Amino acid sequence: MLFHRLLSRLGQSTGSLLLVALCATMGYSQNNNNNNNNNNNNNDSGNGGGVEIDPQGVLRISNIDNALAARMRMATLKSTDRNERIVSEMRKVSLNRLESIVAQRLAEDQELDEEMLGLAGLTRIEYVFYLPESNDIVIAGPAEKIHVTENGDRVGLKSGKSVLKLLDLVVALRTYAPNKEPAGSIAVSIDPTQEGIKRMNQYNAQFEGRANQINANVLAGMKQALGYQVVSVKGVPRETNFARVLVEADYRMKLIGLGLENTVIPFTPWIARTQAGANQNALQRWYFEADYSKVSTNEDRSALHLQGQGVKLTGEKEFLTKSGNRTRGAGSGDSASTAFAKEFTQKFEALGEAIPVFSHMRNLFDMSVVAAFMQQNDLYGRSNWELGVFGDESKLVTLTNPAISQVEPAVNAVKKDGLLITPIGGVHISARKLASDPAVDNELDGVSTKLSAPEDLANSQWWWD
């Protein structure tokens, strides 16, 4: 969950100092799985711009020029022949056919191509279904021509939305693998230490009533006093791109709230909304959670349909003591926090086009729900497929990053009503729950028939329109 924490308020009158610390916690519900790190050359992580994980496990995220990235993509789009600007309203990908071809490539020590690493350009998963005639497990959704950005990320050339990544899907499938104990929750949280909060409160106390003395050095001192924030990962290995994306999405959402990230589209950050004196001893917690308008299946539970945006941002208030202890149950947050979360949710699609990590995160939600449904309804047994190399870390490596353990706090400052507000830096889903109780829609049987593989599909072909 993303927790924007208002860690300390010092001063009540004009000219005094109001310090607000925002830290993010991300919860994403699923199961724990740890593997040893390996290397191979088929890396589809798409590291993303301005992201670095050092050997000590500290994740550092710097600002990127989202507007420039969009202009470069549009220039590529304009220079691409119209016949090559392939956009599909419904592309189908057979998971077991793809796994068979990937296994062959790996056995022959061949690289996986962009089409495989980018799952044929899918930008969403709207359906998963089992085809008994051919024993295929198929995912389907809109797709575009894959554009690789200067930062190595794979996005749709037309929309800019992140395309699905093979290794992310493999992580989700392993989390809900066949013949495996049902997974609980995937959770990623970014939390300040209690000691860090206490140190920062002590540091801030010296500036009570002296807001005009605040400068870059003072802000750097506050950041140092708070120290690194601890990253907790549950459900997926922290060395995976899956985990990295969740952390980065959480952190960049916090940067937007602090007014430190260029959203490209018109957007009012939290820091521009908040009022001095509104959040004494309060902690604003923001978190991403699933937001599907409908999740449906057919009578024999061989198909699943995901409808809706998939993600929303929610706010919650906590109380905070000077020693760093937190108490929940204080409501949904103040008006500034509520308005920020509402606008973020309303503009999530547009934000995901401008800042691909958000559409990338939403793809992880879709993948997790689909993988949980596949496990719960034994699509593996029906298709006589048990993941093959997709389930074998020694053959298809997903542990491609150093293990994330910490992040740096981020700091911004503005004066309001004579006070200085200084926010410091900060997602959630339960895939198994969503996959457990979908509504029954018998029209899905007809949809599955329409999406079936063509009779003349070549053995080497694993996707079709």
Side-chain angles (χ1 to χ4, degrees):
M1 295 180 179
L2 164 81
F3 299 78
H4 288 217
R5 306 189 173 155
L6 314 184
L7 295 186
S8 167
R9 180 172 186 238
L10 301 174
Q12 302 295 321
S13 61
T14 298
S16 61
L17 172 65
L18 175 61
L19 291 176
V20 182
L22 295 177
C23 310
T25 301
M26 202 164 123
Y28 189 104
S29 303
Q30 263 101 240
N31 190 36
N32 192 30
N33 179 16
N34 290 311
N35 296 301
N36 296 322
N37 204 354
N38 296 288
N39 294 308
N40 73 13
N41 296 320
N42 297 299
N43 185 354
D44 72 342
S45 60
N47 291 326
V51 179
E52 175 190 358
I53 307 171
D54 70 18
Q56 287 70 47
V58 178
L59 180 74
R60 293 184 172 87
I61 299 176
S62 60
N63 286 335
I64 58 174
D65 191 335
N66 298 307
L68 176 61
R71 288 196 296 270
M72 294 180 68
R73 177 178 55 79
M74 291 307 296
T76 302
L77 177 63
K78 290 180 180 179
S79 64
T80 301
D81 187 276
R82 288 186 176 273
N83 295 327
E84 296 181 11
R85 300 180 190 178
I86 302 170
V87 176
S88 173
E89 293 184 2
M90 191 59 60
R91 179 157 295 169
K92 284 74 71 177
V93 172
S94 168
L95 298 183
N96 32 356
R97 287 174 187 258
L98 174 58
E99 183 272 327
S100 177
I101 295 171
V102 168
Q104 182 179 347
R105 286 282 188 102
L106 296 179
E108 296 172 354
D109 200 26
Q110 297 183 28
E111 296 284 338
L112 304 185
D113 59 32
E114 287 294 337
E115 193 172 64
M116 294 175 182
L117 295 175
L119 287 172
L122 285 175
T123 57
R124 284 293 308 264
I125 300 179
E126 294 184 355
Y127 295 93
V128 60
F129 48 91
Y130 165 62
L131 302 176
E133 298 83 2
S134 58
N135 272 351
D136 286 296
I137 300 176
V138 175
I139 57 175
E144 301 179 35
K145 181 179 177 64
I146 299 172
H147 169 68
V148 181
T149 70
E150 65 277 12
N151 299 312
D153 199 8
R154 294 177 180 88
V155 301
L157 178 60
K158 182 178 180 180
S159 71
K161 295 178 181 178
S162 180
V163 301
L164 273 67
K165 311 297 191 295
L166 174 62
L167 294 192
D168 293 337
L169 178 61
V170 167
V171 170
L173 294 175
R174 290 178 185 177
T175 301
Y176 296 100
N179 304 315
K180 181 178 180 180
E181 197 67 28
S185 65
I186 294 174
V188 179
S189 64
I190 307 173
D191 292 291
T193 64
Q194 187 172 345
E195 296 78 10
I197 295 172
K198 186 175 181 180
R199 285 195 308 268
M200 192 184 71
N201 283 335
Q202 293 170 345
Y203 178 84
N204 293 349
Q206 64 184 302
F207 300 102
E208 184 173 356
R210 295 187 291 158
N212 291 334
Q213 297 182 17
I214 302 301
N215 54 35
N217 290 333
V218 172
L219 296 180
M222 188 180 74
K223 183 177 178 179
Q224 183 176 7
L226 182 60
Y228 289 132
Q229 298 171 40
V230 177
V231 176
S232 302
V233 178
K234 172 183 165 185
V236 296
R238 63 175 66 232
E239 301 91 345
T240 61
N241 185 62
F242 197 115
R244 180 199 65 78
V245 169
L246 293 179
V247 176
E248 184 190 348
D250 194 15
Y251 197 85
R252 288 203 184 279
M253 183 266 288
K254 168 210 62 181
L255 292 179
I256 291 173
L258 300 179
L260 294 173
E261 179 94 353
N262 177 14
T263 58
V264 181
I265 65 171
F267 192 91
T268 305
W270 172 85
I271 194 172
R273 301 174 185 272
T274 193
Q275 298 297 318
N279 298 293
Q280 185 175 5
N281 298 326
L283 181 155
Q284 294 296 331
R285 169 186 173 193
W286 304 326
Y287 57 95
F288 288 114
E289 62 181 349
D291 186 30
Y292 296 99
S293 58
K294 187 177 181 181
V295 179
S296 55
T297 187
N298 54 351
E299 194 69 45
D300 69 353
R301 301 179 74 89
S302 62
L304 185 74
H305 185 195
L306 299 177
Q307 296 173 266
Q309 181 168 280
V311 175
K312 68 179 178 180
L313 185 63
T314 300
E316 184 179 39
K317 182 183 288 186
E318 298 184 5
F319 290 124
L320 185 73
T321 67
K322 289 185 177 180
S323 63
N325 292 318
R326 292 152 37 194
T327 303
R328 297 183 62 178
S332 61
D334 62 22
S335 59
S337 177
T338 300
F340 170 70
K342 182 179 180 180
E343 183 176 8
F344 203 106
T345 298
Q346 290 174 337
K347 296 183 176 179
F348 184 82
E349 288 288 346
L351 286 167
E353 294 178 6
I355 308 173
V357 71
F358 295 123
S359 51
H360 195 161
M361 176 192 67
R362 194 258 309 281
N363 288 344
L364 303 186
F365 278 45
D366 294 346
M367 290 176 182
S368 300
V369 176
V370 163
F373 179 83
M374 289 169 58
Q375 182 196 56
Q376 291 173 2
N377 296 283
D378 195 27
L379 299 196
Y380 296 105
R382 298 189 196 189
S383 62
N384 195 30
W385 179 56
E386 294 190 356
L387 288 182
V389 298
F390 283 2
D392 190 341
E393 179 67 19
S394 68
K395 294 181 179 179
L396 185 58
V397 177
T398 61
L399 307 182
T400 58
N401 301 318
I404 302 172
S405 60
Q406 297 175 309
V407 297
E408 293 182 312
V411 177
N412 195 9
V414 296
K415 286 187 178 180
K416 291 202 174 182
D417 301 331
L419 300 180
L420 183 71
I421 298 177
T422 308
I424 303 176
V427 179
H428 177 93
I429 185 175
S430 179
R432 189 166 171 238
K433 180 179 179 181
L434 285 167
S436 296
D437 192 28
V440 175
D441 181 0
N442 289 320
E443 291 184 4
L444 278 180
D445 290 325
V447 173
S448 297
T449 300
K450 291 180 181 179
L451 301 181
S452 296
E455 294 182 359
D456 60 348
L457 193 68
N459 291 333
S460 60
Q461 190 172 345
W462 49 274
W463 66 265
W464 59 94
D465 286 334

